[in-house]
């Protein structure tokens, strides 16, 4: 009977030890950061597209299939519009002219999967959506600039930041002042 109880307690101790070791290994394991995933700080265009898409999904009452298609279309068109805005930063009339061309492309793509009622509602609200997106783009640009100045991103992949170089003390003693100094 004592051998059975000793064996049972030994087995219990081994199981408890392996369970705690597994939990400890899970807790101490550091997950590597997935560099392929975008973050809002690095990809404000995606945040902008998602914001516009969410507004359009609510207003037009889209189903899941239509919402997914709309998100894909908006991601593509907002990326094009952001590139146009960066390229022609000092010329608002040229930006508006080229962005209107991108909006016409979006109109054609949306017409393919929206119902007639949804498309007519969208078509009547195009100027509102365009203004909604432009206002957010102007607001987010100033927020991103302020945030990047206040919280600079690491300059290198190993998270090293740029900082002033450390200065050497001005009154360094000259010569050997170690153990063997006479």
């Amino acid at each position: 009977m004592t051998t059975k109880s000793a064996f049972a307690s030994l087995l219990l101790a081994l199981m408890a030890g392996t369970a705690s070791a597994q939990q400890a290994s899970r807790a101490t394991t550091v997950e590597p950061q997935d560099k392929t995933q975008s973050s809002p700080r690095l990809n404000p265009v995606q945040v902008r597209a998602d914001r516009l898409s969410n507004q359009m999904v609510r207003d037009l009452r889209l189903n899941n299939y239509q919402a997914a298609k709309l998100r894909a279309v908006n991601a593509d068109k907002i990326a094009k519009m952001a590139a146009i805005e960066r390229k022609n930063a000092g010329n608002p009339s040229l930006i508006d002219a080229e962005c209107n061309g991108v909006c016409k492309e979006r109109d054609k793509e949306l017409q393919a999967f929206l119902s007639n009622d949804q498309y007519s509602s969208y078509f009547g609200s195009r100027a509102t959506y365009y203004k909604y997106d432009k206002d957010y783009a102007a607001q987010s640009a100033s927020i991103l600039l302020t945030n990047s100045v206040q919280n600079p991103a690491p300059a290198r992949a190993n998270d090293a930041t740029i900082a002033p170089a450390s200065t050497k003390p001005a009154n360094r003693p000259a010569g050997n002042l170690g153990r063997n100094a006479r």
Side-chain angles (χ1 to χ4, degrees):
M1 185 119 156
T2 52
T3 55
K4 286 184 181 179
S5 62
F7 180 76
S9 59
L10 178 65
L11 185 62
L12 254 164
L14 284 174
M15 289 175 51
T18 57
S20 66
Q22 286 177 351
Q23 288 176 351
S25 69
R26 287 183 197 149
T28 59
T29 308
V30 176
E31 293 286 328
Q33 182 181 1
D34 187 7
K35 306 251 184 212
T36 61
Q37 296 296 321
S38 63
S39 69
R41 182 178 174 121
L42 300 177
N43 194 359
V45 174
Q46 186 63 39
V47 173
R48 180 177 161 186
D50 287 343
R51 184 174 183 273
L52 178 64
S53 296
N54 290 339
Q55 183 67 33
M56 292 174 75
V57 166
R58 277 191 302 269
D59 291 349
L60 301 174
R61 294 182 172 86
L62 303 182
N63 61 29
N64 288 339
Y65 171 77
Q66 292 170 323
K69 295 282 271 182
L70 176 77
R71 290 181 198 287
V73 168
N74 275 344
D76 179 45
K77 300 310 173 198
I78 295 292
K80 285 182 181 180
M81 291 167 73
I84 290 169
E85 290 164 0
R86 279 191 303 273
K87 184 176 77 172
N88 304 317
N91 193 347
S93 61
L94 185 60
I95 290 173
D96 286 340
E98 290 187 25
C99 285
N100 283 337
V102 173
C103 288
K104 288 180 183 177
E105 291 175 17
R106 178 173 47 200
D107 294 345
K108 289 178 185 175
E109 291 182 32
L110 293 180
Q111 196 170 16
F113 62 86
L114 292 179
S115 69
N116 289 338
D117 291 339
Q118 289 170 331
Y119 186 76
S120 62
S121 176
Y122 160 75
F123 196 80
S125 302
R126 279 186 318 169
T128 306
Y129 293 131
Y130 185 72
K131 183 179 180 330
Y132 182 76
D133 179 51
K134 286 295 180 187
D135 290 345
Y136 179 75
Q139 175 192 7
S140 67
S142 64
I143 289 171
L144 288 173
L145 177 63
T146 304
N147 191 23
S148 65
V149 169
Q150 291 175 348
N151 305 316
R156 297 179 8 185
N158 65 354
D159 294 330
T161 56
I162 299 172
S166 61
T167 59
K168 294 182 181 178
N171 54 359
R172 278 184 33 193
N176 184 5
L177 296 177
R179 233 171 100 199
N180 298 330
R182 297 178 201 227

